[in-house]
């Protein structure tokens, strides 16, 4: 197995799948400003996707570029976290998901920007700036909604109860993670679990939300072993143009 | 062009933008003067940012390096935001501008490291932004005053705006909404 390729797919697919989910809000945001913010967040993520997947294609060395990887792979070849592929529900749910991911990305990209692989370090440093900005906003909005009205608090708690079991997958180290650590490319994801936890807890507390007690985690996204049924539906929409009209360009 | 417009969410950089351009300006024939870096920088000063045309691509700080080797020109640009569709437009605008000057051998390199920062905005760019009604970036993370009436009573409306590089603010005195160039 080409571990570096796997690792890069994980970075790119996380950004791509969440970017696509956020783009689904375009034209449906609860307010014009929010709509624009969601679309801009999606745009940053899709830009980061291009950087990661282009490098993944180079590393693979089979002539696949970022487009081929994004539009011509099937669900079982995707390496994103399950957290990012579950469908949007209400606005609070999407913002909370974004927050759980941002709170992971910020320390993760901080570490990756010190990678021994210069290409990884460069993409991470670029993405880190955007992730910081996203985290500012998602954390603030989670607090505003959680510590808002009784109804908004209830809806955020429902979202948290639903998303929480999906949040642990990010920290489940496997052989690719070990290989990356040995090569000095990335730390083990489990190394940043505590930082993530502290940050998340601080925000949940301010947001008057109860962190679910169970630490059961759904797994199978980042190694492709068992995606949810939702990813296939998402890809059907995202990939239809390239699948129907291969190599079509504007 | 609106960066928040997700209709171009396809990952390729080049694909959507080519058709935004009218035909390429006609080259006046090969450049016949003395070609050096300073001249090319001067030409680039006249290439406007496609989204905020009061500042040039040089003011924006995306042009990092110009090298001239004989009649060949190499320009290194650094993207503002990873997903900003304007970057592809900027490349094509630079290409058109130099082609019009008679430069046929041009390569444009994209470099992501060190990452672009608003500290690279020129002083001239900052004051032009303000005159245009866009508050320039501040290290404190928000505008110091309203670009219209100069009041310091300003409030944030949204962290994002019409393009990836801007946020929405409002003046509590003159009540005008205005854009703030995000500080990154
Ligand atoms: Zn004012």
């Amino acid at each position: 197995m080409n571990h570096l390729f796997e690792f890069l797919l994980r970075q790119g697919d996380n950004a791509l799948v969440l970017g696509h989910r956020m783009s689904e809000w375009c034209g449906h945001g609860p307010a014009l400003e929010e709509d624009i913010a969601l679309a801009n967040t999606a745009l940053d993520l899709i830009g980061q996707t291009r950087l990661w997947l282009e490098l993944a294609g180079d590393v693979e060395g089979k002539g696949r570029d970022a487009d081929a990887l994004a539009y011509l792979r099937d669900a079982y070849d995707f390496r994103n976290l399950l957290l990012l592929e579950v469908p949007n529900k209400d606005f609070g749910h999407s913002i909370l998901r974004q927050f759980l991911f941002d709170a992971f990305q910020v320390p993760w990209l901080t570490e990756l920007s010190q990678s021994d692989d210069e290409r990884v370090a460069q993409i991470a440093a670029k993405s880190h700036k955007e992730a910081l900005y996203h985290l500012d906003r998602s954390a603030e909005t989670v607090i505003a909604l959680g510590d808002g009205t009784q109804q908004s608090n209830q809806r955020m708690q429902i979202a948290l109860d639903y998303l929480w079991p999906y949040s642990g997958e990010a920290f489940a180290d496997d052989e690719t993670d070990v290989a990356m650590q040995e090569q000095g490319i990335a730390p083990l994801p489990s190394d940043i679990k505590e930082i993530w936890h502290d940050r998340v807890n601080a925000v949940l507390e301010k947001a008057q939300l109860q962190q679910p007690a169970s630490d059961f985690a759904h797994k199978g996204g980042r190694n492709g072993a068992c995606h949810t049924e939702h990813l296939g539906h998402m890809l059907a929409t995202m990939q239809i143009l390239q699948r129907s009209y291969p190599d079509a360009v504007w | 062009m609106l960066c928040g417009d997700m209709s171009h969410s396809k990952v390729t950089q080049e694909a959507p933008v080519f058709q935004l351009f009218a035909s390429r300006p006609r080259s006046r024939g090969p450049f016949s003067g003395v070609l050096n870096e300073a001249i090319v920088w001067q030409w680039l000063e006249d290439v406007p940012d496609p989204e905020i045309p009061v500042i040039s691509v040089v003011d924006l700080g995306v042009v990092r390096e110009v090298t001239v080797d004989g009649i060949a020109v190499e320009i290194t640009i650094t993207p503002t935001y990873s997903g900003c569709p304007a970057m592809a437009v900027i490349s094509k605008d630079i290409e058109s501008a130099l082609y019009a000057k008679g430069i046929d051998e041009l390569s444009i390199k994209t470099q992501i490291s060190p990452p672009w920062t608003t500290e690279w905005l020129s002083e001239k760019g900052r004051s032009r932004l303000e005159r245009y009604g866009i508050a320039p970036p501040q290290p404190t993370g928000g505008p110091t005053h309203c670009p219209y009436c100069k009041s310091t009573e300003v409030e944030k409306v949204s962290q994002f705006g019409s393009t990836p590089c801007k946020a929405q603010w409002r003046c509590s005195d003159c009540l005008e909404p205005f854009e703030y160039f995000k500080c990154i």
Side-chain angles (χ1 to χ4, degrees):
Chain A
M1 188 193 271
N2 183 339
H3 288 301
L4 179 55
F5 176 62
E6 284 288 307
F7 167 82
L8 293 168
L9 285 184
R10 289 174 181 184
Q11 313 316 311
D13 288 348
N14 278 349
L16 175 59
V17 170
L18 182 59
H20 188 84
R21 284 293 185 215
M22 283 320 228
S23 79
E24 291 173 356
W25 274 102
C26 193
H28 302 276
L32 183 59
E33 288 79 8
E34 287 308 328
D35 200 281
I36 287 171
L38 293 164
N40 271 292
T41 305
L43 196 59
D44 285 343
L45 289 166
I46 289 165
Q48 295 168 15
T49 303
R50 184 169 57 217
L51 299 172
W52 289 118
L53 292 187
E54 250 160 37
L55 179 55
D58 282 352
V59 164
E60 188 195 30
K62 292 184 181 165
R64 291 201 280 183
D65 61 6
D67 278 347
L69 289 170
Y71 293 110
L72 301 173
R73 276 182 303 151
D74 290 320
Y76 44 78
D77 290 326
F78 273 72
R79 296 291 181 264
N80 58 282
L81 298 169
L82 299 178
L83 171 72
L84 309 178
E85 71 192 41
V86 295
N88 292 324
K89 293 183 191 290
D90 58 20
F91 171 69
H93 181 273
S94 289
I95 286 295
L96 184 62
R97 178 209 342 240
Q98 181 74 41
F99 166 67
L100 294 173
F101 180 68
D102 293 340
F104 173 79
Q105 280 302 81
V106 166
W108 179 242
L109 294 170
T110 303
E111 293 288 334
L112 293 191
S113 61
Q114 306 297 319
S115 173
D116 285 352
D117 187 316
E118 203 189 335
R119 300 165 300 178
V120 170
Q122 291 184 355
I123 298 173
K126 177 76 197 151
S127 308
H128 179 255
K129 287 190 157 201
E130 293 163 359
L132 267 181
Y133 202 81
H134 297 168
L135 177 61
D136 261 7
R137 175 172 170 281
S138 61
E140 198 176 275
T141 315
V142 164
I143 294 168
L145 290 172
D147 188 24
T149 64
Q150 199 182 1
Q151 196 199 141
S152 73
N153 174 273
Q154 264 170 16
R155 288 170 76 157
M156 290 303 276
Q157 188 62 52
I158 291 168
L160 182 61
D161 293 345
Y162 178 88
L163 292 170
W164 191 254
Y166 289 103
S167 66
E169 188 192 8
F171 308 102
D173 304 336
D174 65 9
E175 52 170 352
T176 291
D177 298 310
V178 172
M180 291 300 98
Q181 191 206 27
E182 283 169 2
Q183 294 171 37
I185 291 175
L188 290 175
S190 59
D191 289 346
I192 61 163
K193 183 163 185 176
E194 218 179 290
I195 302 175
W196 177 83
H197 233 274
D198 291 350
R199 181 169 275 149
V200 167
N201 277 342
V203 169
L204 294 183
E205 216 167 280
K206 280 192 201 159
Q208 312 281 340
L209 296 171
Q210 301 301 318
Q211 184 202 303
S214 167
D215 59 0
F216 167 77
H218 295 290
K219 298 190 186 84
R222 68 197 297 271
N223 59 12
C226 188
H227 280 285
T228 66
E229 72 272 30
H230 308 296
L231 181 64
H233 289 279
M234 194 198 100
L235 295 183
T237 304
M238 191 184 89
Q239 297 180 332
I240 187 165
L241 197 128
Q242 278 300 316
R243 297 287 196 179
S244 313
Y245 305 95
D247 300 326
V249 289
W250 271 54
Chain B
M1 176 170 182
L2 185 74
C3 279
D5 179 356
M6 291 308 300
S7 60
H8 307 307
S9 65
K10 193 172 177 300
V11 179
T12 41
Q13 192 168 25
E14 306 80 10
V17 296
F18 280 108
Q19 299 196 347
L20 296 176
F21 295 91
S23 58
R24 232 183 183 196
R26 193 173 289 269
S27 168
R28 299 177 308 187
F31 180 69
S32 52
V34 180
L35 189 61
N36 58 35
E37 277 90 6
I39 289 176
V40 177
W41 276 106
Q42 221 177 314
W43 291 339
L44 294 173
E45 283 280 358
D46 294 330
V47 179
D49 173 274
E51 293 179 330
I52 311 169
V54 288
I55 63 172
S56 75
V57 294
V58 175
D59 290 326
L60 186 62
V62 296
V63 181
R64 302 315 301 158
E65 207 184 343
V66 173
T67 50
V68 171
D69 181 12
I71 53 162
V73 177
E74 185 181 85
I75 294 173
T76 305
I77 60 174
T78 289
T80 51
Y81 288 82
S82 353
C84 186
M87 292 315 297
V89 182
I90 286 174
S91 288
K92 301 307 286 181
D93 285 355
I94 289 176
E95 202 183 309
S96 302
L98 268 67
Y99 188 71
K101 298 286 186 188
I103 303 302
D104 290 321
E105 275 188 56
L106 170 68
S107 68
I108 298 180
K109 239 176 41 184
T110 302
Q111 167 184 302
I112 60 164
S113 178
W116 178 80
T117 156
T118 33
E119 283 168 30
W120 292 349
L121 270 174
S122 70
E123 275 309 315
K124 172 164 70 75
R126 294 175 66 92
S127 56
R128 284 192 177 177
L129 281 177
E130 169 132 4
R131 250 181 295 149
Y132 189 59
I134 299 173
Q138 302 296 342
T140 49
T144 48
H145 56 262
C146 164
Y148 300 110
C149 74
K150 314 298 175 201
S151 162
T152 53
E153 298 299 312
V154 292
E155 55 175 339
K156 184 170 78 184
V157 177
S158 173
Q159 241 177 316
F160 289 88
S162 61
T163 69
C165 58
K166 287 175 284 173
Q168 308 264 17
W169 284 66
R170 176 171 45 216
C171 175
S172 313
D173 277 330
C174 72
L175 304 179
E176 281 294 325
F178 64 91
E179 290 191 299
Y180 164 65
F181 206 101
K182 282 152 54 170
C183 185
I184 72 162

